[in-house]
Amino acid sequence: MNIKASLMIALIACVMLVGVAAANQENPEAGNTWARAALFNLGPGYNSVSGSLSSGDTADYWRETNAACDVEVMLYLDPTSLSRGGVAQMYEGNSGHSFMQRVQQGNNACPDTHLDVAPVYVTMTPAGLGDYTFTVRRY
């Protein structure tokens, strides 16, 4: 193998690694307000969303893209995030944001599983949580 071929293979490998790293990063659109919520699809079954909260990031807001309503939903949070103090909360509707569910170690709440008004929102806290994955089951 000549030097040009070796350099080309090394360059391709670097480009692939950068692509993989970028694909694994949190959605850059996830904001800390309702208006800046990142989008996720709420299809039938289990819908998992991954993100990360750094020490300077107070909250992540997520909103479904497909405006599903009149369905049953259930919120889950990965065990590692739960043990680190993570809190996932789900709300419905564009105005008023009615509380539906909370997943937090020792403080779960589930007063509502029926999504009456789209869209569904999920908020993740606290700052400094690190990587997390929440799942919304639509059934």
Side-chain angles (χ1 to χ4, degrees):
M1 183 183 298
N2 67 27
I3 190 95
K4 279 186 176 181
S6 296
L7 288 173
M8 186 60 98
I9 290 172
L11 179 63
I12 290 171
C14 287
V15 168
M16 289 174 56
L17 286 173
V18 168
V20 168
N24 288 330
Q25 287 182 359
E26 175 189 8
N27 181 333
E29 299 294 320
N32 59 358
T33 66
W34 298 104
R36 296 189 38 174
L39 302 176
F40 74 97
N41 186 49
L42 184 61
Y46 293 90
N47 303 271
S48 294
V49 178
S50 295
S52 185
L53 281 164
S54 66
S55 59
D57 194 2
T58 58
D60 276 354
Y61 285 68
W62 297 88
R63 178 177 58 87
E64 69 166 306
T65 59
N66 53 320
C69 63
D70 201 26
V71 296
E72 298 298 316
V73 291
M74 184 62 77
L75 179 63
Y76 305 93
L77 182 58
D78 71 277
T80 302
S81 295
L82 274 173
S83 68
R84 289 190 317 237
V87 180
Q89 296 189 106
M90 186 163 53
Y91 301 85
E92 68 180 333
N94 270 324
S95 62
H97 307 294
S98 300
F99 175 73
M100 294 183 73
Q101 298 172 27
R102 176 180 48 251
V103 180
Q104 179 181 21
Q105 192 168 32
N107 190 24
N108 291 335
C110 186
D112 188 2
T113 61
H114 189 80
L115 180 60
D116 297 307
V117 180
V120 69
Y121 285 88
V122 176
T123 63
M124 285 300 308
T125 55
L129 176 64
D131 294 340
Y132 63 81
T133 300
F134 69 83
T135 301
V136 179
R137 179 181 179 203
R138 176 179 154 191
Y139 54 100

